[in-house]
């Protein structure tokens, strides 16, 4: 499951040919065609077996000294928290041509690479470092896959198809900033992780080991980490494990559970597959809202760019496609000429289209969002209380969640891999109302203040971390109790909206209070109704908590 490409509901790509007498078609006939590469070379798989010439490290031996050191513990022992800021080796559009300080990469919504968001969620005094006097005892990580290729039939490939159709019919001629289109080819695959996407998850695994490695000392058996069956999900999980445990060690260091991601199979990491209303007209509301916004904001860019191309008539779908090509080519190929075409205002408009789509299709504004995320909340409560799950009326999988081998309850570290839309669902189910404080998002203009932005919530490799720690109940108290708080992309989240969790400058809540609040939230979310009932979402859509009232 991915945040949908809103192009699908935009008007069909139109192409108007100008009279050949007024211009000369300079574009190559291959412009817009798809170019691919395959590695390893196909012939190599049929070659004579030569593996005996290349023994593995265990056969070679002579490894040198191998004693290990102690586990790192940066989250608790360092005086400052680490910060994620770079996207090396990608060429950042804001620096590729000596541009202004505005960074387009941070306006790509769910296509942005993840970075530390600081105090954007409102807790200016909070740090991701463990508060003084507290001792970390457990962590829960829910992360998105890394950067990937676009989905089949999405805006980038549709634009390429339009360009190639023009090149192979009456031709076209591009000049100025669009001149590169004359020889441009489409070099993107579909949905698989890009090299940078693999790096993101490897780095996330390394970072998690450096921050929380000390918790491995609390295991009495191998950890169980979870992901789903889609290729990019498995690759993300394996790259994380390689970074966390080490390339030579990871295969024997943990158990990788792979949930089937397909219609008819229950999984809290792919809850849309068991919730029919996640795929009906109500779920498509974000498409329509984003479509209308794109038709509006793209007018300026169409007017500015059209004069540089003859033989192709640009429309809103093309502008969206080129902006997505900027993002996808950058995370796949390292650089994209499309990035140079757009102004800060263009990027603000694009980003808000993504925000609208996420809010109304997968966020607080969709009536089935809380229901889709509530299964993960049930698992979280079970893990926090070490209580086996016995009721499976949501997206829980009775076979896997009901087995203490595949769903252990005694781990100091829990790692789950999922999609951007699911993280959005879970945030709604957890009832983190601060994120929805400025909702519903207006559909006709960008608001001056906006608490809900996709680039902060669900970028590529987004990571939601629940930190469980033992802390004094008051500054002068000696007694300690278990507390929990949540970090989203290194930003501490206020637990506003969670019953029994009073305001706290560090985002902390006593575990007992948090669990009580979550049990109440689970009870109030009507999974059967929200996922299966036949209802109509009112418009304007007033929903801000991801639930449909009867």
């Amino acid at each position: 499951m991915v945040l949908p490409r809103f192009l699908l509901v935009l008007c069909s790509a139109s192409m108007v040919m100008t009279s050949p007498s007024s211009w000369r078609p300079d574009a190559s006939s291959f412009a817009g065609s798809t170019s691919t590469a395959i590695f390893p070379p196909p012939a190599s798989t049929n070659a004579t077996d030569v593996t005996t010439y290349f023994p593995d490290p265990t056969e070679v031996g002579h490894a040198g000294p191998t004693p290990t050191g102690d586990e790192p513990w940066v989250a608790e022992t360092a005086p400052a928290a680490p910060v994620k800021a770079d996207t090396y080796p990608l060429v950042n559009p804001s620096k590729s041509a000596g541009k202004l300080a505005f960074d387009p990469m941070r306006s790509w919504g769910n296509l942005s690479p993840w970075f530390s968001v600081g105090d954007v969620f409102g807790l200016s005094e909070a740090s991701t470092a463990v508060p003084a006097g507290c001792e970390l005892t457990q962590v829960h990580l829910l992360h998105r896959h890394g950067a990937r290729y676009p989905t089949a039939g999405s805006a980038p490939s549709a634009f390429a198809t339009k360009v190639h159709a023009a090149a192979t019919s009456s031709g076209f001629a591009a000049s100025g900033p669009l001149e590169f289109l004359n020889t441009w080819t489409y070099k993107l695959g579909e949905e698989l992780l890009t090299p940078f996407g693999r790096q993101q998850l490897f780095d996330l695994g390394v970072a998690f080991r450096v921050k929380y490695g000390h918790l491995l000392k609390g295991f009495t058996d191998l950890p169980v980490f979870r992901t789903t069956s889609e290729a990019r999900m498995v690759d993300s999980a394996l790259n994380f494990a390689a970074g966390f445990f080490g390339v030579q060690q990871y295969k024997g260091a943990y158990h990788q559970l792979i949930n089937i991601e397909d219609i008819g199979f229950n999984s809290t990491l792919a809850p849309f597959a068991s919730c029919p209303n996640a795929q009906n007209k109500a779920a498509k509301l974000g498409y329509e809202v984003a479509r209308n916004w794109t038709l509006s904001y793209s007018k300026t860019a169409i007017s500015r760019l059209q004069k540089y191309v003859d033989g192709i008539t640009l429309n809103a779908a093309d502008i969206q496609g080129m902006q997505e090509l900027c993002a996808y080519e950058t995370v796949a190929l390292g650089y994209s000429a499309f990035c140079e075409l757009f102004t800060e205002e263009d990027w603000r408009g694009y980003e808000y289209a993504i925000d609208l789509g996420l809010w109304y299709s997968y966020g607080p504004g969709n009536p089935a969002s809380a229901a889709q995320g509530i299964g993960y909340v049930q698992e979280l409560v079970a893990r926090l209380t070490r209580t086996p799950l016995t009721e499976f009326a949501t997206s829980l999988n009775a076979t896997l969640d009901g087995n203490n081998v595949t769903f252990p309850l005694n781990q100091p570290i829990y790692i789950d891999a999922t999609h951007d839309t699911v993280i959005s669902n879970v945030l709604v189910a957890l009832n983190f109302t601060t994120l929805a404080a400025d909702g519903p998002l207006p559909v006709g203009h960008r608001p001056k203040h906006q608490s809900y932005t996709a680039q902060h919530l669900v970028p590529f490799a987004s990571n939601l971390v629940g930190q469980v720690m033992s802390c004094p109940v008051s500054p002068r108290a000696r007694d300690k109790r278990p507390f929990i708080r949540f970090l989203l992309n290194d930003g501490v989240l206020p637990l506003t909206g969670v019953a029994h969790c009073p305001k706290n400058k560090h985002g902390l809540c006593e575990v007992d209070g948090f669990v009580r609040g979550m049990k109440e939230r689970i009870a109030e979310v009507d999974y059967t109704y929200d996922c299966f009932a036949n209802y109509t979402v009112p418009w304007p859509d007033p929903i801000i908590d991801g639930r449909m009232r009867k």
Side-chain angles (χ1 to χ4, degrees):
M1 188 70 169
V2 294
L3 184 64
R5 59 274 184 187
F6 302 116
L7 166 77
L8 293 184
V9 290
L10 289 171
C11 55
S12 301
S14 62
M15 184 164 60
V16 177
M17 300 303 173
T18 308
S19 171
S21 61
S22 62
W23 55 273
R24 183 168 59 87
D26 293 331
S28 301
S29 60
F30 60 77
S33 64
T34 299
S35 58
T36 60
I38 298 176
F39 191 88
S44 68
T45 60
N46 300 319
T48 303
D49 187 7
V50 295
T51 56
T52 56
Y53 291 93
F54 305 98
D56 65 32
T58 60
E59 296 174 287
V60 173
H62 303 277
T66 58
T68 60
D70 201 357
E71 288 290 349
W73 200 216
V74 163
E76 187 168 313
T77 60
V83 175
K84 172 67 174 175
D86 76 293
T87 54
Y88 181 87
L90 306 184
V91 175
N92 191 313
S94 67
K95 300 176 176 60
S96 62
K99 288 193 171 184
L100 299 177
F102 173 73
D103 186 354
M105 194 175 282
R106 297 197 177 188
S107 291
W108 294 348
N110 65 315
L111 305 185
S112 295
W114 95 273
F115 58 90
S116 297
V117 300
D119 62 358
V120 298
F121 303 125
L123 294 180
S124 59
E125 297 183 58
S127 166
T128 58
V130 174
C134 297
E135 181 181 357
L136 202 63
T137 58
Q138 189 180 66
V139 287
H140 302 254
L141 171 63
L142 181 68
H143 71 80
R144 187 190 178 194
H145 57 75
R148 58 164 175 81
Y149 292 120
T151 52
S154 59
S157 62
F159 178 74
T161 298
K162 178 173 180 174
V163 170
H164 192 53
T168 54
S169 55
S170 300
F172 73 90
S175 61
L178 290 179
E179 185 175 5
F180 72 93
L181 282 180
N182 291 327
T183 55
W184 172 76
T185 59
Y186 185 72
K187 301 177 178 66
L188 303 176
E190 292 179 4
E191 302 192 26
L192 293 175
L193 288 187
T194 67
F196 176 70
R198 297 195 298 269
Q199 176 191 333
Q200 282 187 294
L201 267 296
F202 184 89
D203 288 351
L204 189 63
V206 171
F208 218 72
R209 183 66 173 263
V210 172
K211 291 178 180 179
Y212 306 112
H214 193 73
L215 292 174
L216 286 172
K217 294 181 177 182
F219 279 90
T220 58
D221 203 347
L222 294 183
V224 174
F225 296 171
R226 305 187 305 169
T227 190
T228 72
S229 58
E230 287 199 338
R232 67 181 180 277
M233 298 304 305
V234 174
D235 286 343
S236 291
L238 296 182
N239 276 280
F240 179 95
F244 187 78
F245 293 113
V247 173
Q248 292 192 59
Q249 295 80 19
Y250 82 94
K251 290 184 178 180
Y254 81 120
H255 300 298
Q256 183 65 65
L257 182 67
I258 302 174
N259 289 2
I260 295 175
E261 181 177 332
D262 209 341
I263 300 298
F265 292 88
N266 276 34
S267 170
T268 60
L269 305 180
F272 43 82
S274 55
C275 178
N277 285 347
Q279 300 144 44
N280 66 4
K281 184 177 180 180
K284 301 301 185 288
L285 181 60
Y287 293 60
E288 185 67 21
V289 173
R291 166 192 175 272
N292 290 335
W293 174 254
T294 300
L295 289 171
S296 175
Y297 88 79
S298 62
K299 291 178 181 178
T300 302
I302 293 172
S303 176
R304 186 179 67 250
L305 295 174
Q306 184 63 72
K307 60 179 174 284
Y308 296 111
V309 58
D310 292 308
I312 298 177
T313 299
L314 299 176
N315 59 31
D318 301 325
I319 297 303
Q320 180 193 340
M322 288 191 283
Q323 288 183 287
E324 289 192 5
L325 278 162
C326 163
Y328 278 120
E329 286 190 344
T330 299
V331 299
L333 308 173
Y335 166 76
S336 174
F338 286 99
C339 297
E340 311 296 333
L341 302 178
F342 300 103
T343 67
E344 178 176 346
E345 191 63 21
D346 295 334
W347 285 118
R348 300 294 187 194
Y350 172 80
E351 180 182 21
Y352 193 59
I354 300 298
D355 296 339
L356 287 169
L358 190 69
W359 173 279
Y360 287 104
S361 279
Y362 305 100
N366 187 270
S369 287
Q372 290 178 73
I374 209 66
Y376 178 83
V377 176
Q378 291 175 289
E379 292 177 332
L380 177 62
V381 170
R383 288 166 167 175
L384 289 172
T385 61
R386 297 195 175 192
T387 304
L389 291 161
T390 57
E391 297 182 6
F392 305 95
T394 62
S395 58
L396 292 169
N397 186 303
T399 302
L400 300 176
D401 288 325
N403 187 320
N404 63 3
V405 174
T406 50
F407 190 72
L409 297 171
N410 61 344
Q411 296 190 172
I413 299 174
Y414 293 96
I415 310 292
D416 295 317
T418 188
H419 299 279
D420 50 355
T421 57
V422 182
I423 292 176
S424 181
N425 294 154
V426 169
L427 292 172
V428 175
L430 288 166
N431 210 30
F432 292 162
T433 56
T434 299
L435 301 178
D438 297 325
L441 292 186
V443 299
H445 68 278
R446 294 201 315 269
K448 184 176 181 180
H449 301 289
Q450 186 179 338
S451 58
Y452 191 88
T453 55
Q455 60 138 332
H456 293 146
L457 305 181
V458 291
F460 283 133
S462 178
N463 48 100
L464 176 65
V465 180
Q467 294 181 325
V468 181
M469 59 190 80
S470 176
C471 302
V473 294
S474 64
R476 297 182 179 180
R478 293 185 178 181
D479 294 337
K480 291 186 175 183
R481 296 178 187 173
F483 285 75
I484 189 170
R485 69 172 183 173
F486 288 84
L487 317 179
L488 180 58
N489 300 319
D490 285 348
V492 182
L493 285 162
L495 299 188
T496 309
V498 179
H500 312 292
C501 286
K503 289 183 179 180
N504 183 285
K505 66 180 181 179
H506 298 297
L508 292 167
C509 179
E510 286 196 46
V511 169
D512 286 348
F514 177 80
V515 168
R516 285 178 62 195
M518 287 301 101
K519 287 182 177 179
E520 292 176 12
R521 179 64 168 164
I522 291 167
E524 73 180 19
V525 173
D526 190 336
Y527 180 85
T528 301
Y529 183 79
D530 290 351
C531 275
F532 292 89
N534 182 16
Y535 50 73
T536 300
V537 181
W539 188 256
D541 177 359
I543 300 171
I544 59 172
D545 67 347
R547 297 171 54 211
M548 188 67 188
R549 300 297 195 277
K550 293 182 180 179

